[in-house]
Amino acid sequence: MDHKGILLESGTNELEIVEFEVANNKFGINVIKVKEIIQPIPVTFIPHVHPHVEGIIQLRGEVLPVVDMLKVLGLNHLQHGPQQKYIVAEFNKQRVVFHVDNVTQIHRISWNQIEKPSDMYQGGVSQVIGVIKYNEEMILLLDFEKIMVDINPASGISVESVKKLGKRERSEKKILIAEDSPLLRKLLHDTMHEAGYDNIDFFENGQDALNYLEALAKAGGNIEEHVQLVITDIEMPQMDGHHLTKRIKSNPDLKVLPVIIFSSLITDDLRHKGDQVGAEDQISKPEIAELILRVDQFIL
C-alpha cells in the first residue's frame, strides 16, 4: 500500500482507514497501524494461550501472534470465509496479526465524520470507539489497543511502573487530557493520581478539549493560570490529537501551553507529524512512567 500522502501530512484532521469484514459486518483500522495485508499462512498452535489467539506465524524471520477477530467479536461458532486475510499491524510498540474475513477498500475521511458510540448500545465493555456512516453503510472503528490489553494485560498502562518512581509529592497543577477510550481514561486517572497529579480534566475528543481551552482564553487572563499542560491521544472522533495540537499552537492565547502527545502511533516513522504541529514531546503508549517524568519536567 502506498499512502505516503497521509503519512507525510499532519494536522489535517483526516485519516485513512482500511475497511475489512468479519461475518458480513464492516470494520475499520487506521492505515497508519497497518504494515501489510497478506494471505493466510499456516499457524503454529500454542497451548494455554488466550482464547482469542489462534497461535503464531513466522513472517520474514519475525514471530507474530495471530488474533482471530471472529473470537474477539464473540462469533466463535462461525468460520472465516473464502476471502480471508491477515492484517499485519503495529502499535503500542508491538506487532500483531489480525485474522479477518476479507479486506475490501481504503477510505480517506475526516475525524469529524466519526461519531462516538452511544452509551445505549456501547455498554461498558465495547470494543467500538467510533461509527462511520459511509455511502448509507456503517463502518465500525475498533479499539485495537483494548483488544490487545484484554489478551495481555501486561501490555497496557501499569500503575506499578509509576510506583517504581518512588515517593512523590502531590501537585495542584492543572492538566488537561484528551483521550477517547474509557479504559485509557480510567488507567490514566489512576496512574496520574499515583504520580501525585489529581487536578485533571478529561475530554473524550480534541474538539471538546479545544472548546474548553478557547472558552478559558475568551474569558480573559493568562491561560497558564487555569491550565499548565495538555496531554492528548492522536486517534479521537471529531478532532484528532495532531489537529488539536496544531490549533493550540496557532492560537496566540493558547500557544504557551506545553502539549505532550501520548499515543500508540508514536514511531520513528511518524514522529515528524507531531513535530510539524508543534508538540513539545511525544511518548508511545504504554510508557506511562516516561510520560510522568516528562510531565514533571514541564510543570514542576
Side-chain angles (χ1 to χ4, degrees):
M1 296 183 301
D2 184 9
H3 299 280
K4 293 180 180 175
I6 199 82
L7 296 180
L8 291 174
E9 297 165 2
S10 189
T12 65
N13 206 39
E14 293 179 305
L15 79 158
E16 285 183 333
I17 61 162
V18 175
E19 180 189 317
F20 64 90
E21 295 178 352
V22 180
N24 295 319
N25 297 298
K26 297 181 183 300
F27 300 95
I29 180 172
N30 193 331
V31 75
I32 291 176
K33 288 189 170 98
V34 178
K35 306 307 291 184
E36 59 183 313
I37 296 164
I38 62 173
Q39 298 294 336
I41 59 178
V43 173
T44 300
F45 170 76
I46 301 291
H48 309 302
V49 295
H50 191 281
H52 294 170
V53 177
E54 290 183 35
I56 55 175
I57 63 169
Q58 181 170 287
L59 188 62
R60 286 184 289 281
E62 186 176 10
V63 176
L64 302 174
V66 178
V67 175
D68 188 341
M69 291 303 295
L70 281 172
K71 293 178 179 175
V72 167
L73 297 170
L75 303 171
N76 303 40
H77 59 290
L78 298 178
Q79 299 291 320
H80 285 287
Q83 303 293 320
Q84 59 189 297
K85 298 287 190 298
Y86 281 176
I87 299 175
V88 183
E90 181 176 11
F91 54 91
N92 276 12
K93 295 188 173 181
Q94 60 184 341
R95 283 200 183 202
V96 61
V97 178
F98 295 107
H99 188 179
V100 303
D101 283 347
N102 196 11
V103 175
T104 50
Q105 53 192 318
I106 292 174
H107 307 288
R108 183 165 183 165
I109 58 173
S110 170
W111 279 104
N112 61 25
Q113 293 175 250
I114 301 174
E115 296 184 9
K116 175 181 175 290
S118 165
D119 292 336
M120 184 177 294
Y121 59 80
Q122 180 188 27
V125 294
S126 174
Q127 287 133 345
V128 177
I129 56 172
V131 180
I132 305 164
K133 291 183 285 189
Y134 193 88
N135 291 341
E136 298 186 0
E137 293 184 321
M138 286 192 294
I139 303 171
L140 304 181
L141 276 185
L142 295 177
D143 187 345
F144 288 94
E145 286 82 359
K146 182 180 185 302
I147 290 170
M148 294 311 297
V149 170
D150 288 345
I151 293 171
N152 178 22
S155 68
I157 290 173
S158 166
V159 175
E160 293 303 315
S161 63
V162 177
K163 290 181 178 179
K164 292 178 183 178
L165 297 176
K167 183 173 174 56
R168 299 177 56 84
E169 300 296 325
R170 310 312 291 178
S171 171
E172 289 302 314
K173 296 294 180 70
K174 178 69 165 288
I175 300 173
L176 183 154
I177 299 180
E179 169 61 64
D180 66 315
S181 166
L183 170 69
L184 267 295
R185 285 199 300 273
K186 174 67 165 62
L187 289 170
L188 281 169
H189 173 273
D190 294 347
T191 50
M192 296 299 283
H193 171 77
E194 181 67 31
Y197 296 106
D198 295 312
N199 194 6
I200 300 174
D201 275 344
F202 283 94
F203 294 87
E204 294 183 356
N205 61 67
Q207 185 65 64
D208 290 348
L210 182 65
N211 291 345
Y212 174 78
L213 290 172
E214 289 180 339
L216 287 177
K218 286 180 181 177
N222 186 342
I223 188 66
E224 292 176 293
E225 295 174 1
H226 305 284
V227 178
Q228 283 76 54
L229 179 73
V230 175
I231 298 171
T232 180
D233 188 19
I234 292 177
E235 295 182 288
M236 296 181 288
Q238 301 303 309
M239 182 183 292
D240 71 13
H242 284 139
H243 193 66
L244 170 63
T245 305
K246 183 178 181 179
R247 295 285 295 273
I248 290 172
K249 294 304 178 181
S250 62
N251 185 317
D253 296 322
L254 302 179
K255 65 181 182 182
V256 295
L257 288 175
V259 178
I260 299 176
I261 297 177
F262 184 54
S263 167
S264 63
L265 300 181
I266 305 300
T267 65
D268 291 341
D269 291 340
L270 297 172
R271 188 171 290 273
H272 70 276
K273 292 170 72 73
D275 293 337
Q276 286 175 0
V277 294
E280 270 70 21
D281 217 329
Q282 302 175 74
I283 298 167
S284 174
K285 293 175 182 175
E287 304 295 338
I288 187 66
E290 185 178 348
L291 175 65
I292 298 300
L293 292 174
R294 302 296 174 84
V295 171
D296 292 346
Q297 289 176 9
F298 282 114
I299 66 176
L300 286 186

